[in-house]
Amino acid sequence: METAHNEYKQGFIDFVNSLNNLRTEVATVLAQQLETVSFKKGEAILEQGSVCRYVYFINNGLVKTGFESKDRTFIMRFFAEGAMFTVLDSYLSRQASAYQIQALENTVVTRISRTALDDLRARFHSMETFFSKLLATASVNMMWRIGEILEEQASVRYANFIKENPDLVQRISLGDLAAYLGITQVSLSRIRAGR
Amino acid sequence: METAHNEYKQGFIDFVNSLNNLRTEVATVLAQQLETVSFKKGEAILEQGSVCRYVYFINNGLVKTGFESKDRTFIMRFFAEGAMFTVLDSYLSRQASAYQIQALENTVVTRISRTALDDLRARFHSMETFFSKLLATASVNMMWRIGEILEEQASVRYANFIKENPDLVQRISLGDLAAYLGITQVSLSRIRAGR
DNA sequence: GTAGTTTTTTATCATTTGATAAATTTTCGA
DNA sequence: TCGAAAATTTATCAAATGATAAAAAACTAC
């Protein structure tokens, strides 16, 4: 439906503007490059081993990015409505990704292809600035996460996660939260029991 | 000494060019904003609690970035000659940093102030692109590190570090390497003993 | 609503890492 | 070169987490 489609595009544009305000002209060109796609709960948005060719904005729903290793799964991050994400290494290198993206709920995303965004970044200084700021945000988050993992035990990280994401906790399974914390689901259950 | 000073500036410029080639004009303006500073082994380049006002390029020497917590120390990263670094959260937010930077060897850095770099990023698209690429590199490194910490035990991460940084290992103390791995120095000694 | 599947909990035992202390080795300045 | 300080190793015991299995609870599909 066209109306809904444009609304979704507007979410993406608003997000970009919130990081770095675009001239109307640039926003218009950007809007032309966006497309909106839906995924059902459980569906893979990006499979491990394929190349991530998009930057995504979540209109609604919830996704996890992570990877499978040996027989365990690890989660890099959850992204909910209003967030922008990609699998950065694959996106930048154009190589197959070790990471996957999966919808944890029915999810609607608006995305832009790397080709299109590269072009916009090259043509418009403001789009490059937006991209810098996007990476800056991601970097600061990751820095923080590394520090926390090094410093704190799983029980503390669990408590921190709950405190900082009270909303998300309701929507994430125990197993996925454990995979985010880097411990087994059984260990997290034990931590919750307080032993 | 002026000659040496210009050589040092050139290292910074070469690094920028390697990420995103600058027009001569831009490189010249950039060069005017650089200054070279030396630190003795053990000296703090940035103290925990102050604001990181620079992006640094290491001409020679070795530094660690990290933080003290309770009674333990943790290291985010080592940077040796040829690397560019800053304390990103503090640099971007202009807030006091939870992280410190310390010289592990006598170190010569060439730096640019945030004020000057912000100005160059605003004036020259190519400088913004350089900054994006710098952040992209940092992001991919951090992504990789998070995945590794989640997935692998300290003994494996130790083996990986040695394999990927055979040069650095010679120059880093066991304690600092343990702080990077997120374990105690005693634990690392035990891992090395192979028990 | 019920059966089957998935998720979560509980329990037990093994492994990894931390805390502490002491011995040993290395480094460094006088 | 000596002696003190710092770094590293070794040892012992405690705490945190993993592996496995089984029970309980929650969720789903029909």
Side-chain angles (χ1 to χ4, degrees), chain A residues 51-53 88-96 114 118:
Chain A
V51 177
C52 183
R53 302 181 190 283
L88 199 65
D89 65 340
S90 174
Y91 177 89
L92 294 168
S93 69
R94 305 165 202 198
Q95 306 281 309
R114 182 179 47 66
D118 281 357

Side-chain angles (χ1 to χ4, degrees), chain A residues 11-45:
Chain A
F12 191 112
I13 306 259
D14 287 347
F15 182 90
V16 174
N17 275 320
S18 75
L19 287 187
N20 191 52
N21 206 44
L22 304 178
R23 298 195 315 276
T24 314
E25 171 208 349
V26 178
T28 304
V29 179
L30 170 58
Q32 288 164 3
Q33 301 301 323
L34 301 179
E35 68 180 321
T36 295
V37 189
S38 295
F39 295 90
K40 292 245 166 77
K41 175 176 179 173
E43 270 190 295
I45 295 175

